Amino acid sequence: MTRYSAWSVIKNGFSGQKNWGRAWRDPEPKSGYDIVIVGGGLHGLATAYYLAKNHGLKKIAVVEKGWLGGGNGGRNTTIVRSNYMMPGNRFFYEHSLKLWEQLSHELNYNVMFSQRAHISLLHSPAARDAAARRYNTMRLTGTDAEIWDLETLKREVPHLNYQNARFPIIGAAVQKRAGTARHDAVAWGYARAADQLGVDILQNCEVTGVRRENGKVISLQTSRGDITAGKVGFAVAGNTSRLWQMAELGKLPIESHKLQAFVSEPLKPLLDQVVVFGVGGAHFYISQSDKGGMVFGGDLDWYKSYAQRGNLPLVQDVCEAATSILPCLGRVRLLRHWAGVMDMSMDGSPFICKTPLENLYLNAGWNYGGFKASPASGWYFADLIANDRPDPVVEGFNLQRFANGVNIDERGAGPDPKLHG
Ligand SMILES: Cc1cc2nc3c(=O)[nH]c(=O)nc-3n(C[C@H](O)[C@H](O)[C@H](O)COP(=O)(O)OP(=O)(O)OC[C@H]3O[C@@H](n4cnc5c(N)ncnc54)[C@H](O)[C@@H]3O)c2cc1C
């Protein structure tokens, strides 16, 4: 496999770019593996990579029903941040951000991580007080965080609606190390690096059934034949309940909801940061891609389905939020919009945990926020599968927390679209 470097770019330039090797193999499924990860999204691929890299494990496969990154991994608005307060999230997301900072080097693949600052607009003194508490906690626990007054915000982001906004802007809570990355490059980077460590990546391989015996999974039925597995990890995001039912495990505290993303026609440089607007039922976030398109999104769609496309009422809702906060977008044309199927948990927090079956492990419940989590999610899920116990950082990410009353996220918003404002 070619190692990407300035030298390999120059060398391949001389041969008309014709000699690049394929990025990862396309193997036939073997009859069995020690570990099978179901789901070739970011979390599944990252898990396979860290199982091989951090734990030296072999005979690992990732089975993906479609193509890599065809799920939420390649559909999100790519915001990466670690601005959480409560211990359950604080250390997990900060670890993830630190992994992001080294990811392109780690994978020898440019994931285009751009630390351009995440700016949450503040609209009332009460909101500023709450943000100050959260951002001070972040500073005290080793993360960068700032509160900007209105003058600073106007200087840094001049195009916002400062004149006649329905909810006047009074300042912002800012994390400068936060930013965006190129989502499909993350999938390809993890796939390539995992493949180099011997992981079989099996695309067009849908799991259609789970065979169990004596409280263990013994094999997976797939569209490319049966595969026996020593250990199995589910990392299928919006399809988690379906897989859970195949394993005959009953109900999960997860609902599948659609979330849309939008891209405008390319514009000249307009916005150099990620800006988030959430007040009075509005929920809106926006950044500008390297190609110039404005990339933005808002709430979940108001009704559920497994279709990866959204509905017009939400398009109107999001465009209203866009023009209310950035009126200069009023005459910009929308280029594309699409949806992903989100795994919304009932308290808005994820699962990285064991299950009632001895050798089955669960990675799910990422809601809106699983892109930024993907490196740490893969890191800690691999650790759980390898050592059969959770690291203390993710100890609370289990299914028992609803019975034990453990609160991981300060808001605990769950699957209700309007609670995520
Ligand atoms: C529009 C949108 C915007 C978002 N914006 C952000 C953001 O700005 N920041 C952020 O942090 N997060 C964001 N997210 C959330 C984030 O994208 C997800 O939480 C995260 O990608 C989920 O993990 P994943 O990549 O592994 O999921 P996926 O990419 O969905 O991976 C799951 C994979 O499992 C496969 N699969 C399902 N069933 C089977 C089966 N039976 N057999 C085999 N394979 C199967 C699917 O095909 C899929 O490829 C957003 C999501 C969406 C949809």
Side-chain angles (χ1 to χ4, degrees):
M1 203 75 63
T2 321
R3 192 175 158 75
Y4 296 152
S5 64
W7 169 239
S8 64
V9 171
I10 294 166
K11 199 174 89 183
N12 281 284
F14 282 119
S15 60
Q17 312 291 352
K18 292 200 182 102
N19 294 326
W20 291 104
R22 47 178 313 146
W24 57 85
R25 296 165 299 131
D26 185 19
E28 282 303 311
K30 298 191 179 77
S31 60
Y33 293 90
D34 288 351
I35 303 174
V36 177
I37 304 298
V38 185
L42 305 175
H43 294 239
L45 293 166
T47 303
Y49 171 71
Y50 291 118
L51 277 167
K53 174 80 193 310
N54 291 359
H55 304 282
L57 295 172
K58 309 272 180 224
K59 294 193 191 159
I60 303 166
V62 176
V63 295
E64 164 54 47
K65 72 173 175 174
W67 67 94
L68 299 186
N72 296 338
R75 290 168 184 270
N76 59 72
T77 42
T78 79
I79 301 171
V80 175
R81 59 187 168 88
S82 72
N83 57 344
Y84 288 89
M85 185 175 82
M86 306 265 287
N89 280 331
R90 183 80 292 281
F91 303 108
F92 176 82
Y93 285 105
E94 183 56 23
H95 180 59
S96 208
L97 185 52
K98 290 208 169 85
L99 292 173
W100 276 108
E101 286 173 326
Q102 297 303 322
L103 203 56
S104 294
H105 292 292
E106 170 77 22
L107 302 179
N108 179 230
Y109 202 97
N110 187 2
V111 301
M112 297 168 74
F113 181 46
S114 161
Q115 293 180 284
R116 55 178 66 184
H118 179 273
I119 298 180
S120 299
L121 302 180
L122 301 172
H123 305 271
S124 67
R128 187 173 46 205
D129 288 351
R133 182 165 169 251
R134 171 144 66 120
Y135 280 59
N136 274 330
T137 307
M138 287 161 59
R139 286 178 79 126
L140 289 169
T141 49
T143 308
D144 68 305
E146 294 174 21
I147 301 289
W148 285 357
D149 61 15
L150 189 55
E151 288 318 305
T152 313
L153 184 63
K154 280 183 174 170
R155 199 171 56 242
E156 298 290 333
V157 196
H159 307 297
L160 299 177
N161 185 359
Y162 296 109
Q163 255 90 51
N164 59 355
R166 165 73 181 80
F167 298 100
I169 302 167
I170 63 163
V174 180
Q175 185 179 27
K176 281 194 173 161
R177 282 166 61 239
T180 58
R182 176 159 178 202
H183 42 25
D184 36 20
V186 184
W188 301 331
Y190 270 121
R192 178 170 170 274
D195 175 90
Q196 280 178 354
L197 295 172
V199 173
D200 278 3
I201 293 165
L202 309 170
Q203 297 183 78
N204 296 314
C205 186
E206 178 170 4
V207 172
T208 53
V210 177
R211 284 216 178 88
R212 33 182 291 190
E213 215 173 83
N214 301 328
K216 286 176 86 167
V217 176
I218 52 165
S219 68
L220 299 170
Q221 293 163 286
T222 82
S223 52
R224 295 176 71 179
D226 284 10
I227 299 176
T228 59
K231 292 181 175 182
V232 175
F234 286 168
V236 291
N239 285 281
T240 304
S241 315
R242 285 176 162 173
L243 267 293
W244 198 250
Q245 277 162 17
M246 284 181 206
E248 295 170 19
L249 287 169
K251 290 191 174 163
L252 261 184
I254 287 183
E255 287 179 6
S256 295
H257 287 256
K258 290 184 296 183
L259 179 67
Q260 298 191 53
F262 304 80
V263 177
S264 77
E265 61 186 332
L267 306 178
K268 287 184 177 173
L270 174 73
L271 190 64
D272 198 22
Q273 304 90 352
V274 177
V275 172
V276 181
F277 164 51
V279 67
H283 185 200
F284 179 73
Y285 32 94
I286 186 163
S287 63
Q288 187 166 22
S289 79
D290 293 343
K291 285 194 282 186
M294 304 306 294
V295 180
F296 53 93
D299 263 329
L300 299 169
D301 267 41
W302 293 323
Y303 77 87
K304 294 172 227 165
S305 107
Y306 284 104
Q308 290 177 308
R309 59 180 183 276
N311 293 286
L312 289 173
L314 228 290
V315 178
Q316 181 176 351
D317 194 65
V318 170
C319 291
E320 279 170 2
T323 47
S324 77
I325 205 69
L326 274 160
C328 59
L329 294 182
R331 297 176 70 185
V332 170
R333 279 168 296 192
L334 204 57
L335 196 64
R336 290 182 285 135
H337 69 110
W338 61 86
V341 185
M342 320 292 307
D343 38 337
M344 303 300 293
S345 64
M346 296 301 112
D347 61 355
S349 291
F351 302 102
I352 295 182
C353 62
K354 299 174 78 164
T355 71
L357 298 184
E358 198 182 304
N359 60 345
L360 176 67
Y361 303 85
L362 178 67
N363 178 313
W366 294 102
N367 299 269
Y368 286 116
F371 179 66
K372 63 178 178 287
S374 31
S377 166
W379 179 283
Y380 288 115
F381 196 41
D383 176 72
L384 171 73
I385 294 171
N387 298 313
D388 204 37
R389 53 99 196 95
D391 185 280
V393 169
V394 293
E395 223 162 21
F397 290 15
N398 58 39
L399 290 162
Q400 292 76 41
R401 66 175 183 260
F402 297 98
N404 300 343
V406 175
N407 190 15
I408 294 173
D409 183 64
E410 48 268 36
R411 200 189 291 138
D416 186 330
K418 281 292 166 208
L419 292 179
H420 283 261

